[in-house]
Amino acid sequence: MFNISASYTDLYQLTMAQVYFKTKPNSTAVFDYYFRNNPFKGGYTIFAGLENILNIIESLRFTDADVEYLKTHDFEPEFLEYLRDFRFNGSIFSTFEGDIVFPNRPILQVEGSIMEVQIVETVLLNMLNFQTLIATKANRIRHSAGDKVLLDMGLRRAHATGGYYASRAAAIGGFDSTSNVKSAEDFNIPSSGTMAHSFIQSYVDELEAFRDFAKIRSKNCVLLVDTYNTLKSGMPNAIKVAKEMEDRGARLFGVRLDSGDLAYLAKRTRKMLDDNGLHYVKIVASNQLDEYVIKSLNEQNAPIDVFGVGTNLVTGKPDAALDGVYKLSEYNGEPRIKLSENIIKISLPSKKQVYRMIDQNGMFYGADVIGLASEEKIAQMFHPFDANKSLDLQPFKHEPLLNEVMASGKRTIQKRTVAEIAEYAKNRLALLPDEYKRFQNPHIYKISLSAALKSKRDELIKEHKF
Amino acid sequence: MFNISASYTDLYQLTMAQVYFKTKPNSTAVFDYYFRNNPFKGGYTIFAGLENILNIIESLRFTDADVEYLKTHDFEPEFLEYLRDFRFNGSIFSTFEGDIVFPNRPILQVEGSIMEVQIVETVLLNMLNFQTLIATKANRIRHSAGDKVLLDMGLRRAHATGGYYASRAAAIGGFDSTSNVKSAEDFNIPSSGTMAHSFIQSYVDELEAFRDFAKIRSKNCVLLVDTYNTLKSGMPNAIKVAKEMEDRGARLFGVRLDSGDLAYLAKRTRKMLDDNGLHYVKIVASNQLDEYVIKSLNEQNAPIDVFGVGTNLVTGKPDAALDGVYKLSEYNGEPRIKLSENIIKISLPSKKQVYRMIDQNGMFYGADVIGLASEEKIAQMFHPFDANKSLDLQPFKHEPLLNEVMASGKRTIQKRTVAEIAEYAKNRLALLPDEYKRFQNPHIYKISLSAALKSKRDELIKEHKF
């Protein structure tokens, strides 16, 4: 739906690009995209947003209006001409969208002229950070919900048009459907919806409201039962209408609880339905749900069939952002490093490959090793900072995680639908042992370095030492 | 930049609209937009997003693709024809964008056919909730920063394209400029930017990097000094380059600190600059800033001239969302109410007007009264739920806050620029006593009801009592 032009960027990308353009226009660079912490204090992260980024970067242009605007900002005419003709002609090596990823390893590498790789930084971080956050949140909720149905209904509280991408990421993380029509339409996600309190209020009588709704919407009819009083008014009226639907050969799909103690109300509601032979009518629950509330409801055996999740899903609460960064690792073929007083913030030099260790049962062993892209089989991996910790990698199958997805500005992998990406995420998650998935003190997935990468990094640290 | 079609909505708006279309197409309704809590545990909120909403609603259409998509969702042909021809023909009464607003009073009222007012709900909540949240966050940061310069640089961590609107709202809340080129271009916000670590890293030598940058960007040149070591490398090199610029008749605008202890480093940096006669060079600081960190830095007399704020601003951390709702208050001229076990969640019936009490000095007295739209001068106001609390309103000037901004689907107020709205917000804030602005236990602004509205609400509560 959204047409993103190349001026959807930070001004400093352009001021830096102009300096490169004037002083070293033929230089090349490699940048790594990675993040530093799993969101939500969790043990894993689901990578999302790649398809959007490939589409956006493949067709990224500065519009005439963009160039006119930039004329007012001290840019020189030749550089503005460069921007007018700007095409991204670089390459991207990436983890597949939907894969399970971990902190401090490259998720994606961008290579090209230093101007072009700098100009795409902002939109790349903007899309990948957010969708990865939301796909991960969605998957935590899926983890709690088990095989119950999950409905995204967060658009009204989402961060403006960010909600469009939130619904996409939620589907990748394991949500079954969305209330967001535009996202459903564009990304081919199942859509669903019930009714709002205003519908009931527009009638003098709740029963009359239910009747009209059920008549017009005989399929997938869900009645919202808490406008006046769930057990004394909403449920008796819903049961009457369900029986009337039966007389017409139709079936009420469900009732929705949107306030009060959901565990208590769901049990009472289930009993009222069952006592009236309405075993097939489902219970939909909503109201400030998240992975913890849903876990608690399931532990209380609340007979809820569908969870509707809004604000906490689409805003990625409480984290609000993934701390993804984009760091220069190679310039004109030479390794580059960013130092920091905080050792964990030191970047990794050179073009790299990441391998996932697969054990004899085909499961993730719990370790990714980062090596130089030029390395052959890596025999041993080393803790990034603790010289005493290493692991023999001989027993494992090594799965390379960074694959070419764009070359010379054109995508080199087939488009994947959201459904395909969601299925891939599900299959990958099935290979991750449960200890990494729990909410409390999850097991820490190891990210380590090959001997060659480690020594190259340590050399560069020494060179820059003060 | 973004073309928002009418399918940017929740599916249930359309399923409800179809029922209305089939059963009572000529009915009218009034909806109130309001929120329940000031965000960030603060004492006030800045209303933002109205201009966008007026633009969006005035031109809201279902595209052919939208209608084709909806054909697959059990909608009837006549209703799809209605959607194909959909235009919003209703009216909107609203608080002016940039005004200071408080919980549980209508900020905006939408009137029209019940179908059209239902269909616009989602996009209205989506835009107003988010921008109001961010404008308020921005203003809290402005409150801490005093008259220092504030730069929004959050786009890389924003919620995808929500970042476009975040930068707009930040300007309304009091930010001076944004790094977000697209928002700067479209909303005429000053834009600014410095340089990233990658720029320095692309050179073997930091000094060489600074020199090239300063040569090409002689105006507004800001050098990032923490890539290797702020005090031992970055600052000595920046000072050398500043002196070289002086020799060319230019001036270094500033240096930027992006890590470490900002208070300590700013003091040392200031001293190094001053010792070299570079009193005019400004210090820019960034790195996870928010209103509390900036308050602390100012209390420590950190000599910082410009604060760059990113993630915490554009994601509205820690709140993530404003809890704005859209509730039916009148249907075919009859009052309507939504009950709740939680007394504060009971909605207010009928079409209303809100008056702000202005004291003899022209300052906000600290009370808004909500009355029926049909009421003349309101003599007394009553606490919504505590029968013992009331206030005589005779001494005050009554300023009506809900003004017609759209009639028959066309805007009736002139377009306002972001700069005008920011100026309005600043002027309105100057009328709000300081006690409402402090972060700890702010004074509570009173929102009360007229006698007529209170008795109408209480009647309706009784009618629906179980």
Side-chain angles (χ1 to χ4, degrees), chain B residues 15 22 31 51 62 112 115 125 175 189 202 218 242 332 343 374 389 404 409 417 440 464:
Chain B
T15 57
K22 300 281 286 185
F31 275 78
E51 278 292 323
F62 289 90
M115 284 97 74
L125 288 175
F175 268 59
I189 304 167
S202 76
S218 55
N332 281 341
I343 199 166
S374 54
K389 287 189 181 165
E404 186 191 82
T417 64
Q440 295 296 323
H464 288 291

Side-chain angles (χ1 to χ4, degrees), chain A residues 1-5 7-16 18-20 22-24 31 65-66 69-70 73-74 114 118 121-122 125-127 129-130 133 155-165 179-182 184-185 189 191-199 201-204 212-213 216-217 219-220 226-229 232-233 256 311 314-315 317-325 327-328 331 336-339 347 464 466, chain B residues 1-5 7-16 18-20 22-24 31 65-66 69-70 73-74 114 118 121-122 125-127 129-130 155-165 179-182 184-185 189 191-199 201-204 212-213 216-217 219-220 226-229 232-233 256 311 314-315 317-325 327-328 331 336-339 347 464 466:
Chain A
M1 156 165 87
F2 299 126
N3 195 5
I4 291 175
S5 88
S7 80
Y8 188 71
T9 191
D10 289 299
L11 184 65
Y12 78 176
Q13 312 290 11
L14 303 182
T15 55
M16 290 188 285
Q18 175 167 261
V19 180
Y20 297 139
K22 300 279 287 184
T23 62
K24 42 193 189 177
F31 276 78
D66 292 341
Y69 171 71
L70 291 169
H73 272 71
D74 299 328
I114 191 158
Q118 195 79 67
E121 172 183 346
T122 300
L125 288 175
N126 176 265
M127 284 284 156
N129 280 341
F130 179 59
L133 179 82
L155 186 55
R156 283 158 297 159
R157 300 275 174 89
H159 286 195
T161 51
Y164 177 66
Y165 298 98
S179 70
N180 181 337
V181 179
K182 191 43 130 182
E185 178 184 338
I189 304 167
S191 63
S192 56
T194 61
M195 62 163 62
H197 295 114
S198 58
F199 183 82
Q201 290 170 265
S202 76
Y203 290 76
V204 174
D212 270 8
F213 196 82
I216 312 291
R217 191 163 177 81
K219 277 195 232 171
N220 296 318
D226 73 337
T227 304
Y228 300 114
N229 186 305
K232 292 185 190 160
S233 169
R256 175 171 158 224
T311 312
V314 299
T315 64
K317 232 183 161 182
D319 279 16
L322 183 80
D323 63 356
V325 295
K327 294 289 175 192
L328 181 71
Y331 174 75
R336 286 291 187 269
I337 198 167
K338 157 82 178 74
L339 297 185
S347 67
H464 288 291
F466 286 90
Chain B
M1 155 165 85
F2 299 128
N3 196 5
I4 291 175
S5 88
S7 80
Y8 188 71
T9 190
D10 289 299
L11 184 64
Y12 77 174
Q13 313 289 11
L14 303 182
T15 57
M16 290 189 285
Q18 174 167 261
V19 180
Y20 297 139
K22 300 281 286 185
T23 62
K24 42 191 188 180
F31 275 78
D66 292 341
Y69 171 72
L70 291 170
H73 272 71
D74 299 329
I114 192 158
Q118 194 79 69
E121 172 182 346
T122 299
L125 288 175
N126 176 265
M127 284 285 155
N129 281 340
F130 179 58
L155 186 56
R156 283 157 298 160
R157 300 275 174 90
H159 285 195
T161 51
Y164 178 67
Y165 297 98
S179 69
N180 181 338
V181 179
K182 191 44 131 180
E185 177 183 338
I189 304 167
S191 64
S192 56
T194 61
M195 62 164 61
H197 295 114
S198 58
F199 182 83
Q201 290 170 264
S202 76
Y203 289 76
V204 174
D212 269 7
F213 197 82
I216 310 293
R217 191 163 177 81
K219 277 194 232 172
N220 296 317
D226 73 336
T227 304
Y228 301 114
N229 186 305
K232 292 186 192 161
S233 170
R256 175 171 158 225
T311 312
V314 300
T315 64
K317 229 181 165 184
D319 280 17
L322 182 79
D323 62 358
V325 294
K327 294 290 175 192
L328 180 70
Y331 174 75
R336 287 291 188 267
I337 198 167
K338 157 81 178 74
L339 297 186
S347 68
H464 288 291
F466 287 88

Side-chain angles (χ1 to χ4, degrees), chain B residues 214-422:
Chain B
K215 231 173 277 166
I216 310 293
R217 191 163 177 81
S218 55
K219 277 194 232 172
N220 296 317
C221 177
V222 176
L223 302 174
L224 177 62
V225 292
D226 73 336
T227 304
Y228 301 114
N229 186 305
T230 300
L231 300 176
K232 292 186 192 161
S233 170
M235 280 307 299
N237 286 332
I239 287 167
K240 257 182 226 152
V241 169
K243 291 292 180 189
E244 292 167 7
M245 289 178 82
E246 283 185 349
D247 295 343
R248 299 199 296 273
R251 282 189 153 196
L252 177 63
F253 181 83
V255 294
R256 175 171 158 225
L257 308 170
D258 187 43
S259 58
D261 189 300
L262 295 176
Y264 169 79
L265 289 173
K267 286 174 191 174
R268 293 290 306 268
T269 295
R270 182 75 268 158
K271 185 163 187 329
M272 289 171 84
L273 290 168
D274 290 349
D275 287 351
N276 285 278
L278 298 166
H279 306 279
Y280 59 83
V281 174
K282 296 194 187 310
I283 298 178
V284 182
S286 54
N287 194 19
Q288 298 300 316
L289 300 181
D290 65 10
E291 64 267 51
Y292 299 102
V293 177
I294 290 174
K295 186 166 184 281
S296 164
L297 287 167
N298 277 344
E299 284 166 0
Q300 295 170 78
N301 299 312
I304 295 167
D305 305 287
V306 181
F307 293 105
V309 190
T311 312
N312 291 311
L313 169 67
V314 300
T315 64
K317 229 181 165 184
D319 280 17
L322 182 79
D323 62 358
V325 294
Y326 186 76
K327 294 290 175 192
L328 180 70
S329 60
E330 200 173 284
Y331 174 75
N332 281 341
E334 294 295 319
R336 287 291 188 267
I337 198 167
K338 157 81 178 74
L339 297 186
S340 171
E341 288 168 42
N342 185 345
I343 199 166
I344 198 86
K345 283 187 153 186
I346 294 176
S347 68
L348 294 172
S350 299
K351 205 180 150 183
K352 296 174 285 290
Q353 179 54 282
V354 183
Y355 296 94
R356 179 151 297 169
M357 298 302 113
I358 311 290
D359 73 13
Q360 292 163 329
N361 303 317
M363 295 285 285
F364 294 170
Y365 170 72
D368 289 356
V369 59
I370 315 170
L372 299 170
S374 54
E375 280 185 272
E376 293 292 316
K377 176 110 179 169
I378 299 169
Q380 210 180 359
M381 72 180 205
F382 295 87
H383 187 280
F385 303 108
D386 185 340
N388 299 314
K389 287 189 181 165
S390 67
L391 181 73
D392 175 18
L393 302 181
Q394 306 290 355
F396 307 112
K397 192 182 145 218
H398 295 207
E399 182 192 8
L401 299 180
L402 296 181
N403 298 285
E404 186 191 82
V405 296
M406 181 174 279
S408 304
K410 299 282 168 217
R411 60 187 300 151
T412 55
I413 55 165
Q414 289 227 308
K415 294 200 182 215
R416 293 184 186 194
T417 64
V418 166
E420 286 165 350
I421 297 165

Side-chain angles (χ1 to χ4, degrees), chain A residues 242-439:
Chain A
K243 289 294 180 187
E244 292 168 6
M245 290 179 81
E246 283 186 350
D247 294 343
R248 299 198 297 272
R251 281 189 155 196
L252 177 64
F253 181 83
V255 293
R256 175 171 158 224
L257 308 170
D258 188 43
S259 59
D261 189 300
L262 295 176
Y264 169 78
L265 289 173
K267 285 174 190 173
R268 293 289 306 269
T269 294
R270 183 76 268 158
K271 186 164 185 328
M272 289 171 83
L273 290 168
D274 291 349
D275 288 348
N276 285 278
L278 298 167
H279 305 280
Y280 59 84
V281 175
K282 295 194 188 310
I283 297 177
V284 181
S286 54
N287 193 20
Q288 298 299 319
L289 300 180
D290 66 9
E291 64 267 51
Y292 298 101
V293 177
I294 290 173
K295 185 165 186 281
S296 164
L297 287 168
N298 277 344
E299 284 166 0
Q300 296 170 78
N301 298 311
I304 294 167
D305 304 288
V306 181
F307 293 105
V309 190
T311 312
N312 291 311
L313 169 66
V314 299
T315 64
K317 232 183 161 182
D319 279 16
L322 183 80
D323 63 356
V325 295
Y326 187 78
K327 294 289 175 192
L328 181 71
S329 60
E330 201 173 284
Y331 174 75
N332 281 341
E334 293 296 318
R336 286 291 187 269
I337 198 167
K338 157 82 178 74
L339 297 185
S340 171
E341 287 168 42
N342 185 346
I343 197 165
I344 198 86
K345 283 187 153 185
I346 295 176
S347 67
L348 295 172
S350 298
K351 204 179 150 183
K352 297 172 284 291
Q353 179 55 282
V354 183
Y355 296 94
R356 180 153 294 170
M357 298 300 116
I358 311 290
D359 73 14
Q360 290 163 329
N361 304 314
M363 295 285 285
F364 294 170
Y365 169 73
D368 289 356
V369 60
I370 315 170
L372 298 170
S374 54
E375 279 186 271
E376 295 290 317
K377 175 111 180 168
I378 299 170
Q380 209 180 359
M381 72 180 205
F382 296 86
H383 187 280
F385 303 108
D386 184 341
N388 299 314
K389 288 188 180 166
S390 67
L391 181 74
D392 175 18
L393 302 181
Q394 304 292 354
F396 308 112
K397 193 183 145 217
H398 295 207
E399 181 191 8
L401 299 180
L402 296 180
N403 298 286
E404 185 192 81
V405 296
M406 183 175 278
S408 304
K410 299 283 168 217
R411 60 187 299 152
T412 55
I413 55 165
Q414 288 227 308
K415 292 199 183 216
R416 293 184 186 194
T417 65
V418 167
E420 286 165 350
I421 296 165
E423 180 69 16
Y424 180 68
K426 195 175 164 183
N427 292 338
R428 296 294 277 180
L429 270 162
L431 302 179
L432 182 71
D434 284 342
E435 302 80 62
Y436 299 93
K437 297 175 191 164
R438 67 176 178 240
F439 296 163

Side-chain angles (χ1 to χ4, degrees), chain B residues 80-235:
Chain B
L80 290 174
E81 280 312 303
Y82 165 79
L83 294 185
R84 194 185 294 283
D85 297 335
F86 176 82
R87 301 285 183 274
F88 181 82
N89 291 314
S91 301
I92 300 179
F93 290 78
S94 180
T95 307
F96 291 124
E97 184 163 5
D99 202 359
I100 316 309
V101 293
F102 302 92
N104 297 310
R105 56 145 275 212
I107 310 295
L108 179 147
Q109 271 176 184
V110 185
E111 308 177 23
S113 84
I114 192 158
M115 284 97 74
E116 67 189 353
V117 293
Q118 194 79 69
I119 285 171
V120 302
E121 172 182 346
T122 299
V123 70
L124 188 147
L125 288 175
N126 176 265
M127 284 285 155
L128 299 182
N129 281 340
F130 179 58
Q131 289 199 52
T132 299
L133 179 82
I134 302 306
T136 306
K137 183 73 175 178
N139 192 259
R140 289 165 61 82
I141 296 170
R142 165 53 65 204
H143 187 72
S144 283
D147 56 5
K148 297 191 169 181
V149 175
L150 288 174
L151 159 62
D152 151 40
M153 37 181 264
L155 186 56
R156 283 157 298 160
R157 300 275 174 90
H159 285 195
T161 51
Y164 178 67
Y165 297 98
S167 297
R168 179 183 186 276
I172 289 171
F175 268 59
D176 297 292
S177 66
T178 181
S179 69
N180 181 338
V181 179
K182 191 44 131 180
S183 297
E185 177 183 338
D186 288 2
F187 300 122
N188 201 18
I189 304 167
S191 64
S192 56
T194 61
M195 62 164 61
H197 295 114
S198 58
F199 182 83
I200 315 286
Q201 290 170 264
S202 76
Y203 289 76
V204 174
D205 185 38
E206 188 182 49
L207 180 60
E208 211 49 51
F210 285 178
R211 272 187 182 135
D212 269 7
F213 197 82
K215 231 173 277 166
I216 310 293
R217 191 163 177 81
S218 55
K219 277 194 232 172
N220 296 317
C221 177
V222 176
L223 302 174
L224 177 62
V225 292
D226 73 336
T227 304
Y228 301 114
N229 186 305
T230 300
L231 300 176
K232 292 186 192 161
S233 170
M235 280 307 299

